[in-house]
Structures are given as C-alpha cells and as structure tokens.
Amino acid sequence: MKVLLAGGAGYIGSHTAIEIAKLGHEIVIADDFSNSKPEAVNRIRTIIGADFPFYEIDIADKEKLRALFAAEKPEAVIHFAGYKAVGESVRKPVAYYRNNLDTTLTLLEVMKEYGCRNLIFSSSATVYGAPDEVPIKETAAVGRCTNPYGWTKYMIEVILKDVAVADPDISVVLLRYFNPVGAHESGLIGEDPQGIPNNLMPYISQVAIGKLACLSVFGNDYPTKDGTGVRDYIHVVDLARGHACAIDYAAAHKGVEVFNLGTSVGYSVLDMVNAFETANGVKVPYKIAPRREGDIAECFADATKSRELLGWKAEKTLVDMCRDSWNWQSKNPNGYDA
C-alpha cells in the first residue's frame, strides 16, 4: 500500500516511516519542517536503504497538497502534522488551534477529492484529561482536556467521527499515544526538540550530555508514590509498529476505531531519572520546580484492546528506552544540526 505520512519527518513520523517501509509499504513523506529537520529525511533513506518521494509543503496548503495527491495517489494517510507541546499551547492557543485544525480539514478535503479512504490519526492521551481511574481504557470519558494542545486532539477526533458518519466508506483509526521516548537503535534518528525540551526524556538526555545544566522536575507534591508525575512511557519504535498494525486494520474495516498505544505501566519522573542513570552510567542532576500549567498527576494506559484487535503490544523495556535515548543523544549532541 502507498502511504502518505503527513508530518513524517518529525520524531514519531520518521520512526513510523522506517517501520512501515520494512513491511513493504511504499512511503511518501510531506513536511514543512516546523517541528523537524531536513536531515531526518536523509537519515530515513539511509536506514531503509531506499529512496522515496518527499514534499516540503504545509499540509494546510490545499493546492500543494492536491498536487501531491495527483502525483502520488496515496491509498492511506497517517496524519502527524500538528504542533505538539503542551506548555507552548497554553502560551499560544490561537496558533495551535489554527495549525492543528487547518491541516486536518485540508487533508480531509483533499483525501475526499482523490478517493483516499484510509486515515490513521496521531491522537493523544491528553484527550482523557485528568482520568477518573487508571489504567485508562478507550471507553473512558474524553473532552476534559487541560490544555489547548489536548483540545485540538479532541476536536480533531470529533471531526473525524463526524466525517465517518457522513461517509460510510471511510476508515479512520484514532491512535491515542501515551508518552513516546527512545530512538532508533542505529542512533541515526531520534527526538530533536527546538530550544529547551518540553518532554522529559530529551530533557534528561541533554542534561546528561551537559547541554543543559540541570533537569527541572515540575512538581513534587502530586498524590503519587514520590510526589512527581506518573506517565506511561512507550518506546517510539513500539509506537511506530502500532501504526503499521493500524494500516492493516484500516484497510480491512470501515468507520472509526480508537486504540491506546502504551505499555500499561506508569513511571514517575524520578523513576525515569534513576533508570536513565543506571542504564547509562551517567548522572542527571535535578531540581524541583513549580508544577506546569496543564499537567496532571497520573496517566497510563490499558492497552488490552490494541493487543486483541491490532495484534500489537509494546515489547521494549524501560532499559531499552533509556539506552536508545542516550545512544541518540551521545552520537548527536546537537540533534540533526552538525
């Protein structure tokens, strides 16, 4: 199947491109590099040992997207194109609503024009907000988001469900990610945040390599075992494999289906710091900082449905996550920049 990865040069998109190419799918990547770097595309080609079409476009640019669809005729789309930082979304809500909704609406319009019926959407556990209980099942209440980023994911899910009601031939898979970490085992691709990282693992890695002086632990007064926030951390390669399973599922089903992609295990911030130090033999100095607006105490998945219907489960361990993160960071201290 020919698959368009919209926003496919980013952290999760780049790893997904590799995993689905390994399975024999043809890949096409489109990205405007607002959250990624051109070098990531070169390194994807190196890892898979083959070329593929790449388009430097904004997915919200309808005419350029039409040209892509006319040339490539993708049979499925994986939609990664969107801004993704919780804290930044609180500071820049209009930018997040504009970008994340516009890319989705334009993509849907062009897919319909060109008869592309299979869509996998990069959603997020943030749609659950502060859950009533953990682990979180797909049937848990949604729409209690605590930040604009989460609200964009929730709104897009609503849009996609409405589209599926109106068009019974479309197949939509909503993948609710928990917390992706790690990197490809080659060390050639990984998470390359701009400025001070918003996510925990790249923050830890940059402190470990000396790029940042100290890790800020945002809050130690949550109702958790050590007072720090608890999350479900999933290796990005496991997450990428989940998308490959979703392609097959979408091709065989109609309507909308929702899946959690997580390990079903929660680790605190200090758990992650200790695991990283142990796995890699490096120290990670940290300090306690005030809570971040929009953060919650605890969030981890019930991934039973993904195992039963997608045939997928997370396989990589916490040690794998920490080791591969450090392998990427130590080989690429400045990320994709030389």
Side-chain angles (χ1 to χ4, degrees):
M1 184 177 290
K2 181 177 280 192
V3 182
L4 169 62
L5 294 92
Y11 175 44
I12 300 169
S14 58
H15 288 83
T16 300
I18 290 163
E19 294 304 308
I20 66 175
K22 281 167 52 177
L23 296 176
H25 294 293
E26 295 180 70
I27 63 171
V28 179
I29 294 180
D31 205 299
D32 66 356
F33 299 126
S34 60
N35 277 324
S36 58
K37 300 283 179 62
E39 179 59 21
V41 178
N42 297 331
R43 296 191 186 188
I44 295 168
R45 291 188 172 114
T46 297
I47 292 169
I48 67 175
D51 200 2
F52 54 82
F54 172 76
Y55 292 78
E56 186 176 350
I57 62 170
D58 180 350
I59 299 301
D61 186 326
K62 184 176 285 188
E63 292 311 309
K64 289 184 178 179
L65 192 61
R66 279 174 170 155
L68 183 159
F69 269 76
E72 302 297 339
K73 300 177 176 58
E75 300 162 87
V77 175
I78 307 180
H79 179 18
F80 299 106
Y83 296 158
K84 61 180 184 175
V86 169
E88 183 181 60
S89 78
V90 175
R91 299 191 303 273
K92 301 178 179 178
V94 173
Y96 270 69
Y97 288 118
R98 170 67 70 187
N99 181 77
N100 292 7
L101 296 180
D102 276 3
T103 54
T104 302
L105 295 170
T106 303
L107 189 55
L108 286 168
E109 289 169 346
V110 176
M111 285 179 66
K112 185 174 180 63
E113 286 181 33
Y114 287 87
C116 183
R117 301 295 189 186
N118 301 306
L119 177 64
I120 293 93
F121 174 56
S122 169
S123 192
S124 168
T126 56
V127 301
Y128 296 116
D132 294 325
E133 59 182 9
V134 289
I136 304 169
K137 296 183 178 181
E138 289 88 350
T139 53
V142 293
R144 300 182 296 184
C145 308
T146 58
N147 54 75
Y149 164 76
W151 279 115
T152 67
K153 294 296 187 182
Y154 171 73
M155 290 175 181
I156 292 168
E157 286 197 4
V158 172
I159 290 167
L160 294 177
K161 289 175 182 177
D162 287 343
V163 168
V165 169
D167 184 354
D169 290 327
I170 198 167
S171 180
V172 177
V173 178
L174 306 177
L175 298 180
R176 292 175 181 162
Y177 307 165
F178 281 68
N179 291 68
V181 297
H184 192 266
E185 63 183 9
S186 66
L188 286 174
I189 63 170
E191 188 167 10
D192 184 21
Q194 300 176 17
I196 296 176
N198 291 287
N199 297 328
L200 178 62
M201 187 60 83
Y203 204 145
I204 288 174
S205 298
Q206 290 191 15
V207 170
I209 206 167
K211 192 171 182 179
L212 297 172
C214 184
L215 170 69
S216 291
V217 177
F218 297 107
N220 67 342
D221 57 350
Y222 288 106
T224 59
K225 65 177 183 178
D226 59 20
T228 65
V230 170
R231 298 290 184 270
D232 187 334
Y233 295 94
I234 175 174
H235 198 293
V236 67
V237 172
D238 278 335
L239 187 65
R241 288 193 305 102
H243 292 76
C245 295
I247 292 170
D248 294 338
Y249 186 90
H253 295 80
K254 301 297 182 186
V256 179
E257 201 67 68
V258 182
F259 296 99
N260 287 336
L261 294 184
T263 65
S264 302
V265 178
Y267 294 103
S268 74
V269 175
L270 295 184
D271 284 337
M272 297 300 288
V273 171
N274 293 332
F276 189 93
E277 290 182 336
T278 300
N280 298 310
V282 295
K283 294 298 293 180
V284 181
Y286 68 86
K287 64 181 179 182
I288 304 301
R291 293 186 185 189
R292 291 186 302 189
E293 189 175 0
D295 278 349
I296 60 176
E298 193 172 31
C299 181
F300 58 95
D302 182 330
T304 303
K305 183 179 177 183
S306 293
R307 183 176 68 248
E308 293 178 346
L309 295 188
L310 291 182
W312 172 91
K313 66 176 181 178
E315 297 176 350
K316 292 184 179 288
T317 67
L318 183 58
V319 171
D320 294 329
M321 300 178 206
C322 294
R323 183 193 61 238
D324 291 343
S325 294
W326 181 238
N327 184 44
W328 153 255
Q329 186 68 72
S330 58
K331 289 178 177 177
N332 304 272
N334 297 311
Y336 290 113
D337 294 329

